Amino acid sequence: MRRPLAALVLTVALAPLPARAESPESPEPTAATVEQSAEPARDAPRDFFLELNLGSFTPEMDGTAGLAGGFRRSRWSFGAELDWLLWRPLGSFSLAFAADYGSVTGQASSDPTTRLTTVPLRLLAVYRFDLFARSGGIPLVPFVKVGLAHTLWWATDGAGGIASLGERRALGGNWGYEVAAGLSLELNFIDPRLGRQLDAKVGIHSVSLQAQYVRITADNFGAPGLNLTANTVQAGLGFEF
């Protein structure tokens, strides 16, 4: 009697074990499932675009009254721009704020070592034709920009002090506008898996290489006085997040 009873108890105790071992409800995680869970949603919000640019700074000011010899051309300039996405029907429409820093050396009055520094601040409307990049996987994105510019400027002499331009101190601010056009190449197509991981972990949807031509006027809309209008060819990186 005891042996059949013991066998029955042992059978009931061990019966659930194979069921738990063979249950398909809790499979072991694999590399594919981990990667899939890390992939962000395709319609994840993309609200901002950050640009970091390096360019060749070319002011159009030779012959301006008060300059004895003009300034050497083609010096480096550095810039940054932050775009805020407003609308995306047939591309991306954004409102942007940009700031650059550039300097050239030359001669003002009788000082041959004058350094002119400009900081153009701009409020821009930006359009990026990224429709095919979003829907068709084409990584090339042309873009255009237009907006209002205010260029802060100052000139220093060989001793590092503010120079003189004619009868006044060489510093101030000039109003104008910016127009720009360029082309960017989104780099996610090189390694889509790395792009998805960057999106999931950091929130950067795409990284781009870009080049653009930028013209910033700084002549107070044609008023008499110092003209600091500049043309810049820039190259840099773009980050969409």
Side-chain angles (χ1 to χ4, degrees):
M1 181 66 181
R2 291 182 179 179
R3 290 182 179 180
L5 181 60
L8 178 61
V9 172
L10 185 60
T11 301
V12 172
L14 295 180
L17 294 181
R20 286 195 297 267
E22 298 175 2
S23 174
E25 297 179 358
S26 57
E28 290 294 328
T30 64
T33 57
V34 171
E35 181 181 350
Q36 184 177 5
S37 64
E39 183 176 352
R42 294 183 181 273
D43 58 349
R46 302 165 186 260
D47 297 325
F48 298 98
F49 192 90
L50 174 66
E51 292 183 13
L52 301 175
N53 295 306
L54 174 67
S56 175
F57 174 59
T58 309
E60 296 180 353
M61 57 182 304
D62 288 346
T64 301
L67 298 179
F71 288 83
R72 289 203 306 268
R73 294 174 177 266
S74 299
R75 295 298 300 270
W76 293 111
S77 68
F78 308 90
E81 176 183 314
L82 181 63
D83 298 17
W84 176 36
L85 178 64
L86 298 177
W87 192 36
R88 178 171 266 166
L90 298 174
S92 298
F93 292 86
S94 304
L95 183 67
F97 177 77
D100 286 4
Y101 174 91
S103 66
V104 289
T105 56
Q107 183 173 346
S109 299
S110 59
D111 190 344
T113 59
T114 301
R115 176 178 294 274
L116 173 69
T117 302
T118 64
V119 180
L121 307 175
R122 291 99 69 203
L123 184 64
L124 304 169
V126 182
Y127 171 69
R128 301 179 188 275
F129 187 64
D130 56 2
L131 179 64
F132 294 147
R134 301 281 79 82
S135 60
I138 299 176
L140 292 175
V141 179
F143 57 87
V144 293
K145 306 174 184 178
V146 62
L148 185 66
H150 184 66
T151 299
L152 304 176
W153 64 273
W154 62 92
T156 56
D157 55 27
I162 298 297
S164 298
L165 188 60
E167 299 180 354
R168 63 189 182 91
R169 300 184 72 197
L171 77 166
N174 288 19
W175 288 97
Y177 62 87
E178 173 184 328
V179 291
L183 183 67
S184 65
L185 172 66
E186 294 190 350
L187 301 179
N188 287 25
F189 78 96
I190 298 176
D191 190 340
R193 178 180 176 183
L194 179 61
R196 291 193 297 268
Q197 292 176 349
L198 187 66
D199 197 350
K201 295 179 180 180
V202 186
I204 298 177
H205 299 296
S206 67
V207 179
S208 304
L209 284 176
Q210 62 181 32
Q212 59 184 328
Y213 166 79
V214 182
R215 178 175 175 82
I216 303 173
T217 68
D219 59 355
N220 288 317
F221 302 107
L226 184 64
N227 183 356
L228 294 173
T229 296
N231 299 287
T232 306
V233 177
Q234 296 181 337
L237 291 173
F239 305 90
E240 187 179 29
F241 57 97

